[in-house]
Amino acid sequence: MSEWLDADQQRAWLAFMRVQHRINFEANRQLQADSGLSLADYDVLNVLVADPLSITDMARILGWERSRVSHQTKRMATRGLVRTRPHGDDRRITVVEATEAGRQANRDAAPGHVALVRRLFFDGLSPQAVRQLAAILETVHETIGPP
């Protein structure tokens, strides 16, 4: 096996990287303009929508380092979007929960974000291509394995 990507692999990888970077850029710009949230804020609020989580669980779900989650949630806490507290059974564990203001900010930001994702990512694809893309990305995710 070569240490280099073959031409098709390189083309696919570079296309993926371009799409990923551009969508992150556009999503961050749209969220900031429409709701004052960063993409990181929106990501955090989305994982907290159902239940409070520990910093460790959030890091695993988001695929971030624990320190990044901790810094992000501290910034969001100063803006009233989340609150932190020690875990009831183990005070060394920090639990993060969305405040009502955070849940409302997430609800307010969602329609514009969904419209952007639909326009940038899905509008150029047929329903069959969307299903194929989903299957491909699920396979890649399974190959990567758990964090």
PDB file of all heavy atoms in Angstrom, residues 2-25:
ATOM      1  N   SER A   2       0.576   2.174  -0.848  1.00  0.00           N
ATOM      2  CA  SER A   2       1.349   3.402  -0.979  1.00  0.00           C
ATOM      3  C   SER A   2       1.155   4.285   0.248  1.00  0.00           C
ATOM      4  O   SER A   2       0.112   4.270   0.887  1.00  0.00           O
ATOM      5  CB  SER A   2       0.884   4.164  -2.228  1.00  0.00           C
ATOM      6  OG  SER A   2       1.449   5.454  -2.248  1.00  0.00           O
ATOM      7  N   GLU A   3       2.158   5.068   0.569  1.00  0.00           N
ATOM      8  CA  GLU A   3       2.027   6.017   1.677  1.00  0.00           C
ATOM      9  C   GLU A   3       1.251   7.265   1.268  1.00  0.00           C
ATOM     10  O   GLU A   3       0.949   8.114   2.093  1.00  0.00           O
ATOM     11  CB  GLU A   3       3.399   6.403   2.223  1.00  0.00           C
ATOM     12  CG  GLU A   3       4.258   7.169   1.236  1.00  0.00           C
ATOM     13  CD  GLU A   3       5.648   7.445   1.785  1.00  0.00           C
ATOM     14  OE1 GLU A   3       6.392   6.482   2.014  1.00  0.00           O
ATOM     15  OE2 GLU A   3       5.963   8.632   1.955  1.00  0.00           O
ATOM     16  N   TRP A   4       0.931   7.379  -0.032  1.00  0.00           N
ATOM     17  CA  TRP A   4       0.208   8.526  -0.556  1.00  0.00           C
ATOM     18  C   TRP A   4      -1.203   8.119  -0.956  1.00  0.00           C
ATOM     19  O   TRP A   4      -1.457   6.967  -1.286  1.00  0.00           O
ATOM     20  CB  TRP A   4       0.936   9.108  -1.776  1.00  0.00           C
ATOM     21  CG  TRP A   4       2.322   9.539  -1.450  1.00  0.00           C
ATOM     22  CD1 TRP A   4       3.466   8.870  -1.761  1.00  0.00           C
ATOM     23  CD2 TRP A   4       2.722  10.692  -0.722  1.00  0.00           C
ATOM     24  NE1 TRP A   4       4.557   9.536  -1.285  1.00  0.00           N
ATOM     25  CE2 TRP A   4       4.121  10.683  -0.633  1.00  0.00           C
ATOM     26  CE3 TRP A   4       2.029  11.750  -0.140  1.00  0.00           C
ATOM     27  CZ2 TRP A   4       4.847  11.664   0.014  1.00  0.00           C
ATOM     28  CZ3 TRP A   4       2.755  12.741   0.501  1.00  0.00           C
ATOM     29  CH2 TRP A   4       4.143  12.698   0.573  1.00  0.00           C
ATOM     30  N   LEU A   5      -2.102   9.068  -0.943  1.00  0.00           N
ATOM     31  CA  LEU A   5      -3.449   8.817  -1.444  1.00  0.00           C
ATOM     32  C   LEU A   5      -3.387   8.676  -2.955  1.00  0.00           C
ATOM     33  O   LEU A   5      -2.614   9.374  -3.616  1.00  0.00           O
ATOM     34  CB  LEU A   5      -4.375   9.989  -1.086  1.00  0.00           C
ATOM     35  CG  LEU A   5      -4.585  10.283   0.399  1.00  0.00           C
ATOM     36  CD1 LEU A   5      -5.442  11.532   0.566  1.00  0.00           C
ATOM     37  CD2 LEU A   5      -5.189   9.102   1.122  1.00  0.00           C
ATOM     38  N   ASP A   6      -4.238   7.787  -3.495  1.00  0.00           N
ATOM     39  CA  ASP A   6      -4.297   7.735  -4.955  1.00  0.00           C
ATOM     40  C   ASP A   6      -5.113   8.936  -5.440  1.00  0.00           C
ATOM     41  O   ASP A   6      -5.665   9.708  -4.632  1.00  0.00           O
ATOM     42  CB  ASP A   6      -4.846   6.392  -5.456  1.00  0.00           C
ATOM     43  CG  ASP A   6      -6.311   6.131  -5.123  1.00  0.00           C
ATOM     44  OD1 ASP A   6      -7.106   7.089  -5.051  1.00  0.00           O
ATOM     45  OD2 ASP A   6      -6.664   4.948  -4.949  1.00  0.00           O
ATOM     46  N   ALA A   7      -5.181   9.130  -6.730  1.00  0.00           N
ATOM     47  CA  ALA A   7      -5.811  10.331  -7.292  1.00  0.00           C
ATOM     48  C   ALA A   7      -7.277  10.462  -6.870  1.00  0.00           C
ATOM     49  O   ALA A   7      -7.728  11.564  -6.514  1.00  0.00           O
ATOM     50  CB  ALA A   7      -5.690  10.323  -8.811  1.00  0.00           C
ATOM     51  N   ASP A   8      -8.023   9.370  -6.883  1.00  0.00           N
ATOM     52  CA  ASP A   8      -9.434   9.433  -6.493  1.00  0.00           C
ATOM     53  C   ASP A   8      -9.578   9.725  -5.005  1.00  0.00           C
ATOM     54  O   ASP A   8     -10.454  10.502  -4.596  1.00  0.00           O
ATOM     55  CB  ASP A   8     -10.150   8.129  -6.842  1.00  0.00           C
ATOM     56  CG  ASP A   8     -10.357   7.951  -8.336  1.00  0.00           C
ATOM     57  OD1 ASP A   8     -10.365   8.968  -9.072  1.00  0.00           O
ATOM     58  OD2 ASP A   8     -10.507   6.790  -8.764  1.00  0.00           O
ATOM     59  N   GLN A   9      -8.739   9.098  -4.177  1.00  0.00           N
ATOM     60  CA  GLN A   9      -8.788   9.353  -2.742  1.00  0.00           C
ATOM     61  C   GLN A   9      -8.440  10.809  -2.440  1.00  0.00           C
ATOM     62  O   GLN A   9      -9.107  11.463  -1.638  1.00  0.00           O
ATOM     63  CB  GLN A   9      -7.817   8.430  -2.003  1.00  0.00           C
ATOM     64  CG  GLN A   9      -8.229   6.974  -2.012  1.00  0.00           C
ATOM     65  CD  GLN A   9      -7.125   6.076  -1.490  1.00  0.00           C
ATOM     66  OE1 GLN A   9      -5.942   6.395  -1.557  1.00  0.00           O
ATOM     67  NE2 GLN A   9      -7.534   4.922  -0.968  1.00  0.00           N
ATOM     68  N   GLN A  10      -7.414  11.317  -3.103  1.00  0.00           N
ATOM     69  CA  GLN A  10      -7.014  12.697  -2.870  1.00  0.00           C
ATOM     70  C   GLN A  10      -8.122  13.660  -3.299  1.00  0.00           C
ATOM     71  O   GLN A  10      -8.437  14.612  -2.587  1.00  0.00           O
ATOM     72  CB  GLN A  10      -5.726  13.037  -3.608  1.00  0.00           C
ATOM     73  CG  GLN A  10      -5.251  14.441  -3.303  1.00  0.00           C
ATOM     74  CD  GLN A  10      -3.879  14.736  -3.868  1.00  0.00           C
ATOM     75  OE1 GLN A  10      -3.247  13.892  -4.483  1.00  0.00           O
ATOM     76  NE2 GLN A  10      -3.425  15.951  -3.659  1.00  0.00           N
ATOM     77  N   ARG A  11      -8.732  13.389  -4.426  1.00  0.00           N
ATOM     78  CA  ARG A  11      -9.829  14.241  -4.908  1.00  0.00           C
ATOM     79  C   ARG A  11     -10.982  14.240  -3.905  1.00  0.00           C
ATOM     80  O   ARG A  11     -11.524  15.300  -3.556  1.00  0.00           O
ATOM     81  CB  ARG A  11     -10.302  13.736  -6.264  1.00  0.00           C
ATOM     82  CG  ARG A  11     -11.453  14.514  -6.830  1.00  0.00           C
ATOM     83  CD  ARG A  11     -11.855  13.993  -8.207  1.00  0.00           C
ATOM     84  NE  ARG A  11     -13.116  14.586  -8.588  1.00  0.00           N
ATOM     85  CZ  ARG A  11     -14.101  13.918  -9.166  1.00  0.00           C
ATOM     86  NH1 ARG A  11     -13.958  12.647  -9.487  1.00  0.00           N
ATOM     87  NH2 ARG A  11     -15.224  14.523  -9.471  1.00  0.00           N
ATOM     88  N   ALA A  12     -11.355  13.049  -3.412  1.00  0.00           N
ATOM     89  CA  ALA A  12     -12.457  12.945  -2.448  1.00  0.00           C
ATOM     90  C   ALA A  12     -12.104  13.639  -1.136  1.00  0.00           C
ATOM     91  O   ALA A  12     -12.929  14.372  -0.562  1.00  0.00           O
ATOM     92  CB  ALA A  12     -12.804  11.474  -2.204  1.00  0.00           C
ATOM     93  N   TRP A  13     -10.890  13.424  -0.643  1.00  0.00           N
ATOM     94  CA  TRP A  13     -10.480  14.023   0.619  1.00  0.00           C
ATOM     95  C   TRP A  13     -10.444  15.548   0.524  1.00  0.00           C
ATOM     96  O   TRP A  13     -10.961  16.238   1.408  1.00  0.00           O
ATOM     97  CB  TRP A  13      -9.123  13.478   1.048  1.00  0.00           C
ATOM     98  CG  TRP A  13      -8.655  14.086   2.333  1.00  0.00           C
ATOM     99  CD1 TRP A  13      -7.624  14.945   2.507  1.00  0.00           C
ATOM    100  CD2 TRP A  13      -9.247  13.887   3.623  1.00  0.00           C
ATOM    101  NE1 TRP A  13      -7.526  15.304   3.833  1.00  0.00           N
ATOM    102  CE2 TRP A  13      -8.507  14.671   4.541  1.00  0.00           C
ATOM    103  CE3 TRP A  13     -10.321  13.134   4.092  1.00  0.00           C
ATOM    104  CZ2 TRP A  13      -8.811  14.708   5.896  1.00  0.00           C
ATOM    105  CZ3 TRP A  13     -10.618  13.182   5.446  1.00  0.00           C
ATOM    106  CH2 TRP A  13      -9.870  13.956   6.330  1.00  0.00           C
ATOM    107  N   LEU A  14      -9.856  16.070  -0.535  1.00  0.00           N
ATOM    108  CA  LEU A  14      -9.788  17.524  -0.686  1.00  0.00           C
ATOM    109  C   LEU A  14     -11.180  18.128  -0.849  1.00  0.00           C
ATOM    110  O   LEU A  14     -11.464  19.198  -0.306  1.00  0.00           O
ATOM    111  CB  LEU A  14      -8.883  17.900  -1.852  1.00  0.00           C
ATOM    112  CG  LEU A  14      -7.399  17.602  -1.632  1.00  0.00           C
ATOM    113  CD1 LEU A  14      -6.605  17.916  -2.902  1.00  0.00           C
ATOM    114  CD2 LEU A  14      -6.845  18.331  -0.434  1.00  0.00           C
ATOM    115  N   ALA A  15     -12.053  17.446  -1.562  1.00  0.00           N
ATOM    116  CA  ALA A  15     -13.433  17.927  -1.709  1.00  0.00           C
ATOM    117  C   ALA A  15     -14.134  17.949  -0.356  1.00  0.00           C
ATOM    118  O   ALA A  15     -14.825  18.921  -0.007  1.00  0.00           O
ATOM    119  CB  ALA A  15     -14.198  17.066  -2.712  1.00  0.00           C
ATOM    120  N   PHE A  16     -13.961  16.882   0.418  1.00  0.00           N
ATOM    121  CA  PHE A  16     -14.555  16.822   1.753  1.00  0.00           C
ATOM    122  C   PHE A  16     -14.035  17.970   2.625  1.00  0.00           C
ATOM    123  O   PHE A  16     -14.816  18.657   3.289  1.00  0.00           O
ATOM    124  CB  PHE A  16     -14.251  15.473   2.418  1.00  0.00           C
ATOM    125  CG  PHE A  16     -14.570  15.457   3.880  1.00  0.00           C
ATOM    126  CD1 PHE A  16     -15.882  15.361   4.317  1.00  0.00           C
ATOM    127  CD2 PHE A  16     -13.561  15.566   4.826  1.00  0.00           C
ATOM    128  CE1 PHE A  16     -16.177  15.366   5.678  1.00  0.00           C
ATOM    129  CE2 PHE A  16     -13.848  15.579   6.177  1.00  0.00           C
ATOM    130  CZ  PHE A  16     -15.154  15.482   6.605  1.00  0.00           C
ATOM    131  N   MET A  17     -12.728  18.180   2.611  1.00  0.00           N
ATOM    132  CA  MET A  17     -12.137  19.235   3.430  1.00  0.00           C
ATOM    133  C   MET A  17     -12.654  20.618   3.011  1.00  0.00           C
ATOM    134  O   MET A  17     -12.978  21.446   3.861  1.00  0.00           O
ATOM    135  CB  MET A  17     -10.607  19.193   3.356  1.00  0.00           C
ATOM    136  CG  MET A  17     -10.001  17.941   3.970  1.00  0.00           C
ATOM    137  SD  MET A  17     -10.394  17.731   5.719  1.00  0.00           S
ATOM    138  CE  MET A  17      -9.491  19.104   6.417  1.00  0.00           C
ATOM    139  N   ARG A  18     -12.731  20.867   1.714  1.00  0.00           N
ATOM    140  CA  ARG A  18     -13.255  22.152   1.234  1.00  0.00           C
ATOM    141  C   ARG A  18     -14.705  22.355   1.693  1.00  0.00           C
ATOM    142  O   ARG A  18     -15.072  23.438   2.159  1.00  0.00           O
ATOM    143  CB  ARG A  18     -13.167  22.245  -0.293  1.00  0.00           C
ATOM    144  CG  ARG A  18     -11.782  22.541  -0.818  1.00  0.00           C
ATOM    145  CD  ARG A  18     -11.788  22.902  -2.305  1.00  0.00           C
ATOM    146  NE  ARG A  18     -12.439  21.917  -3.142  1.00  0.00           N
ATOM    147  CZ  ARG A  18     -11.838  20.874  -3.699  1.00  0.00           C
ATOM    148  NH1 ARG A  18     -10.559  20.660  -3.507  1.00  0.00           N
ATOM    149  NH2 ARG A  18     -12.519  20.033  -4.455  1.00  0.00           N
ATOM    150  N   VAL A  19     -15.514  21.325   1.556  1.00  0.00           N
ATOM    151  CA  VAL A  19     -16.922  21.413   1.965  1.00  0.00           C
ATOM    152  C   VAL A  19     -17.024  21.637   3.468  1.00  0.00           C
ATOM    153  O   VAL A  19     -17.765  22.516   3.924  1.00  0.00           O
ATOM    154  CB  VAL A  19     -17.695  20.150   1.530  1.00  0.00           C
ATOM    155  CG1 VAL A  19     -19.052  20.073   2.205  1.00  0.00           C
ATOM    156  CG2 VAL A  19     -17.856  20.118   0.017  1.00  0.00           C
ATOM    157  N   GLN A  20     -16.294  20.862   4.232  1.00  0.00           N
ATOM    158  CA  GLN A  20     -16.349  20.974   5.694  1.00  0.00           C
ATOM    159  C   GLN A  20     -15.954  22.385   6.144  1.00  0.00           C
ATOM    160  O   GLN A  20     -16.666  23.011   6.923  1.00  0.00           O
ATOM    161  CB  GLN A  20     -15.428  19.942   6.328  1.00  0.00           C
ATOM    162  CG  GLN A  20     -15.368  20.040   7.829  1.00  0.00           C
ATOM    163  CD  GLN A  20     -14.271  19.188   8.422  1.00  0.00           C
ATOM    164  OE1 GLN A  20     -13.326  18.814   7.760  1.00  0.00           O
ATOM    165  NE2 GLN A  20     -14.398  18.903   9.686  1.00  0.00           N
ATOM    166  N   HIS A  21     -14.845  22.895   5.640  1.00  0.00           N
ATOM    167  CA  HIS A  21     -14.381  24.221   6.047  1.00  0.00           C
ATOM    168  C   HIS A  21     -15.364  25.313   5.621  1.00  0.00           C
ATOM    169  O   HIS A  21     -15.667  26.225   6.399  1.00  0.00           O
ATOM    170  CB  HIS A  21     -12.991  24.502   5.474  1.00  0.00           C
ATOM    171  CG  HIS A  21     -11.929  23.679   6.107  1.00  0.00           C
ATOM    172  ND1 HIS A  21     -10.832  24.207   6.721  1.00  0.00           N
ATOM    173  CD2 HIS A  21     -11.789  22.337   6.227  1.00  0.00           C
ATOM    174  CE1 HIS A  21     -10.069  23.245   7.193  1.00  0.00           C
ATOM    175  NE2 HIS A  21     -10.629  22.099   6.890  1.00  0.00           N
ATOM    176  N   ARG A  22     -15.853  25.203   4.404  1.00  0.00           N
ATOM    177  CA  ARG A  22     -16.767  26.236   3.900  1.00  0.00           C
ATOM    178  C   ARG A  22     -18.096  26.226   4.643  1.00  0.00           C
ATOM    179  O   ARG A  22     -18.643  27.292   4.980  1.00  0.00           O
ATOM    180  CB  ARG A  22     -16.992  26.037   2.396  1.00  0.00           C
ATOM    181  CG  ARG A  22     -17.862  27.084   1.757  1.00  0.00           C
ATOM    182  CD  ARG A  22     -17.193  28.470   1.769  1.00  0.00           C
ATOM    183  NE  ARG A  22     -18.115  29.499   1.348  1.00  0.00           N
ATOM    184  CZ  ARG A  22     -18.295  29.864   0.081  1.00  0.00           C
ATOM    185  NH1 ARG A  22     -17.580  29.309  -0.883  1.00  0.00           N
ATOM    186  NH2 ARG A  22     -19.179  30.788  -0.217  1.00  0.00           N
ATOM    187  N   ILE A  23     -18.641  25.052   4.909  1.00  0.00           N
ATOM    188  CA  ILE A  23     -19.908  24.981   5.640  1.00  0.00           C
ATOM    189  C   ILE A  23     -19.729  25.513   7.055  1.00  0.00           C
ATOM    190  O   ILE A  23     -20.574  26.264   7.550  1.00  0.00           O
ATOM    191  CB  ILE A  23     -20.503  23.563   5.605  1.00  0.00           C
ATOM    192  CG1 ILE A  23     -21.064  23.302   4.210  1.00  0.00           C
ATOM    193  CG2 ILE A  23     -21.582  23.389   6.678  1.00  0.00           C
ATOM    194  CD1 ILE A  23     -21.650  21.938   4.006  1.00  0.00           C
ATOM    195  N   ASN A  24     -18.630  25.149   7.716  1.00  0.00           N
ATOM    196  CA  ASN A  24     -18.384  25.681   9.062  1.00  0.00           C
ATOM    197  C   ASN A  24     -18.280  27.200   9.031  1.00  0.00           C
ATOM    198  O   ASN A  24     -18.850  27.891   9.883  1.00  0.00           O
ATOM    199  CB  ASN A  24     -17.126  25.070   9.669  1.00  0.00           C
ATOM    200  CG  ASN A  24     -17.339  23.642  10.112  1.00  0.00           C
ATOM    201  OD1 ASN A  24     -18.462  23.182  10.283  1.00  0.00           O
ATOM    202  ND2 ASN A  24     -16.256  22.925  10.290  1.00  0.00           N
ATOM    203  N   PHE A  25     -17.561  27.732   8.049  1.00  0.00           N
ATOM    204  CA  PHE A  25     -17.423  29.188   7.910  1.00  0.00           C
ATOM    205  C   PHE A  25     -18.781  29.843   7.698  1.00  0.00           C
ATOM    206  O   PHE A  25     -19.138  30.813   8.373  1.00  0.00           O
ATOM    207  CB  PHE A  25     -16.474  29.517   6.748  1.00  0.00           C
ATOM    208  CG  PHE A  25     -16.415  30.973   6.424  1.00  0.00           C
ATOM    209  CD1 PHE A  25     -15.622  31.832   7.168  1.00  0.00           C
ATOM    210  CD2 PHE A  25     -17.166  31.492   5.376  1.00  0.00           C
ATOM    211  CE1 PHE A  25     -15.574  33.196   6.870  1.00  0.00           C
ATOM    212  CE2 PHE A  25     -17.121  32.855   5.075  1.00  0.00           C
ATOM    213  CZ  PHE A  25     -16.323  33.698   5.827  1.00  0.00           C
TER     214      PHE A  25
END
